[in-house]
C-alpha cells in the first residue's frame, strides 16, 4: 500500500487489508444489525458523524447500556487540531451527556484556558462512551467494544495532536502497560498523528503534587500544537 497524505486513513486501510472481515473500509458485504442479531464486536462501517453518533447512542454491546443515564458521545469542534481523550464519563457526565463537566472537567477548562484554548477549539472524547458504575476502571472487554467508536472519531477529526488524559487512554491507544510517569514527556507517533500523555485532571485533584508535572506537559502541548497548527 502506498503512503498517502492521510496517515490515519492509511492505517485503517492497512488494517482492512490485514483483517478484511473486521475492518470497515468498503467491506465486501455489509452486515446489517438484523443479520448479526444486533451489534457485535465488529468495527463499524465508515460511518459519517451523524451515523456514528446514532450508532453509539443506540449501542447495546455491553452491560453499561443498562446502567447509563445517557451516552456521552464526545463534544467540541469536529475540525479541531487538538483531541483530548479521557477515560469514561463520571456521574455528572452521565447525567448531562457531555464529557468532562464535573470537577475534573472544570479543572480541565482552567488548564485549557491557561494555554489559551477553549472547548470550542478542541474536541473532547473518552475511551468509553458510557459510565461504569461507581466510576470503576473500565474492563478490557468494555474498552474493546467501545474503542472502535473512538477510532472512527479520530479518523473523522484528523487531529494534529492527541492528548491522552490519564493511564486508561494512554495504555489503550498505545497498547502498552507502562506507568504514566514513564509515558509522559514523550511524543508518540499514533499512526501518523503526534500523541502525548499527561495526568488525568481527576488525578490532579487527588494529588496536588502532580500539578507541576501536568503544567509542564500542557506547556509542551501548547508548543507542539502551535507548531503543528502554525498558530500564535
Ligand atoms: N473523567 C473522564 O475520563 N472523562 C469524563 O468525561 C469525565 C471524567
Amino acid at each position: 500500500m502506498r503512503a498517502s497524505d492521510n496517515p490515519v486513513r492509511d492505517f485503517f486501510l492497512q488494517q482492512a487489508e490485514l483483517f478484511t472481515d473486521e475492518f470497515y473500509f468498503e467491506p465486501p458485504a455489509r452486515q446489517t444489525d438484523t443479520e448479526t442479531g444486533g451489534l457485535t464486536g465488529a468495527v463499524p462501517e465508515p460511518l459519517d458523524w451523524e451515523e456514528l453518533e446514532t450508532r453509539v447512542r443506540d449501542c447495546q454491546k455491553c452491560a453499561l447500556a443498562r446502567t447509563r443515564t445517557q451516552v456521552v458521545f464526545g463534544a467540541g469542534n469536529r475540525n479541531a487540531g487538538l483531541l483530548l481523550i479521557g477515560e469514561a464519563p463520571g456521574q455528572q457526565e452521565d447525567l448531562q451527556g457531555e464529557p468532562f463537566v464535573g470537577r475534573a472537567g472544570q479543572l480541565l477548562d482552567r488548564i485549557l484556558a491557561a494555554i489559551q484554548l477553549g472547548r470550542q477549539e478542541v474536541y473532547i472524547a473518552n475511551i468509553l462512551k458510557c459510565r461504569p458504575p461507581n466510576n470503576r476502571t473500565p474492563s478490557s472487554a468494555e474498552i474493546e467494544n467501545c474503542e472502535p467508536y473512538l477510532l472512527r472519531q479520530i479518523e473523522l477529526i484528523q487531529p494534529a495532536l492527541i492528548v491522552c488524559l490519564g493511564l486508561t487512554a494512554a495504555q489503550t491507544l498505545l497498547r502498552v502497560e507502562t506507568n504514566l510517569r514513564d509515558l509522559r514527556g514523550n511524543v508518540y507517533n499514533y499512526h501518523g498523528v503526534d500523541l502525548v500523555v499527561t495526568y488525568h485532571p481527576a488525578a490532579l485533584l487527588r494529588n496536588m503534587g502532580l500539578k507541576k508535572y501536568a503544567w509542564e506537559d500542557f506547556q509542551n502541548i501548547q508548543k507542539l500544537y502551535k507548531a503543528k497548527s502554525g498558530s500564535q
Side-chain angles (χ1 to χ4, degrees), residues 156-169:
L156 287 165
I157 297 167
Q158 294 187 32
L161 181 62
I162 296 174
V163 177
C164 289
L165 300 168
L167 203 55
T168 298

Side-chain angles (χ1 to χ4, degrees), residues 72 85-90 93 98-102 104-105 124-126 165 200 202:
V72 180
I85 303 176
E87 178 176 300
E93 290 77 20
E98 291 272 319
F100 282 97
V101 288
I124 305 181
N126 283 306
L165 300 168
H200 192 288

Side-chain angles (χ1 to χ4, degrees), residues 6-40:
N6 183 341
V8 176
R9 187 178 169 84
D10 287 348
F11 166 69
F12 284 100
L13 283 168
Q14 187 194 43
Q15 295 297 303
E17 278 171 14
L18 292 170
F19 308 105
T20 43
D21 58 340
E22 270 188 290
F23 273 80
Y24 56 88
F25 281 103
E26 294 158 3
R30 181 176 163 174
Q31 278 190 312
T32 65
D33 293 353
T34 323
E35 283 164 347
T36 57
L39 278 173
T40 64

Side-chain angles (χ1 to χ4, degrees), residues 12-228:
F12 284 100
L13 283 168
Q14 187 194 43
Q15 295 297 303
E17 278 171 14
L18 292 170
F19 308 105
T20 43
D21 58 340
E22 270 188 290
F23 273 80
Y24 56 88
F25 281 103
E26 294 158 3
R30 181 176 163 174
Q31 278 190 312
T32 65
D33 293 353
T34 323
E35 283 164 347
T36 57
L39 278 173
T40 64
V43 176
E45 306 79 31
L47 306 176
D48 65 22
W49 275 111
E50 201 183 327
E51 292 165 330
L52 180 65
E53 189 159 352
T54 304
R55 183 70 65 95
V56 176
R57 293 202 184 281
D58 292 345
C59 184
Q60 299 289 332
K61 281 194 212 171
C62 78
L64 299 184
R66 294 197 288 279
T67 51
R68 72 184 176 218
T69 311
Q70 295 192 59
V71 164
V72 180
F73 178 70
N77 187 335
R78 291 176 173 181
N79 299 311
L82 183 62
L83 170 63
L84 298 141
I85 303 176
E87 178 176 300
Q91 185 182 33
Q92 282 309 311
E93 290 77 20
D94 173 70
L95 291 172
Q96 298 182 43
E98 291 272 319
F100 282 97
V101 288
R103 279 185 69 223
Q106 287 157 19
L107 176 57
L108 181 61
D109 285 342
R110 292 201 295 279
I111 295 171
L112 288 176
I115 58 165
Q116 279 87 50
L117 284 172
R119 282 206 180 213
Q120 64 290 350
E121 290 155 273
V122 303
Y123 195 87
I124 305 181
N126 283 306
I127 297 290
L128 293 194
K129 309 302 188 206
C130 298
R131 182 190 182 205
N134 303 314
N135 302 339
R136 65 159 167 72
T137 303
S139 71
S140 15
E142 288 160 354
I143 292 174
E144 208 174 299
N145 281 326
C146 219
E147 192 189 3
Y149 299 139
L150 175 66
L151 295 182
R152 184 65 188 148
Q153 287 175 306
I154 296 173
E155 204 200 14
L156 287 165
I157 297 167
Q158 294 187 32
L161 181 62
I162 296 174
V163 177
C164 289
L165 300 168
L167 203 55
T168 298
Q171 291 186 339
T172 299
L173 293 192
L174 294 174
R175 303 281 190 271
V176 293
E177 295 190 358
T178 316
N179 65 49
L180 202 128
R181 207 183 46 203
D182 292 337
L183 286 172
R184 63 175 286 275
N186 302 305
V187 182
Y188 301 91
N189 181 330
Y190 182 74
H191 310 297
V193 182
D194 280 356
L195 180 151
V196 296
V197 175
T198 188
Y199 290 101
H200 192 288
L204 306 180
L205 290 172
R206 284 192 301 268
N207 181 350
M208 300 280 284
L210 297 177
K211 280 193 180 166
K212 67 172 186 284
Y213 303 110
W215 179 233
E216 274 173 27
D217 293 340
F218 274 96
Q219 284 182 308
N220 191 32
I221 287 163
Q222 182 182 32
K223 255 191 248 141
L224 276 172
Y225 180 59
K226 272 186 185 168
K228 288 258 151 204

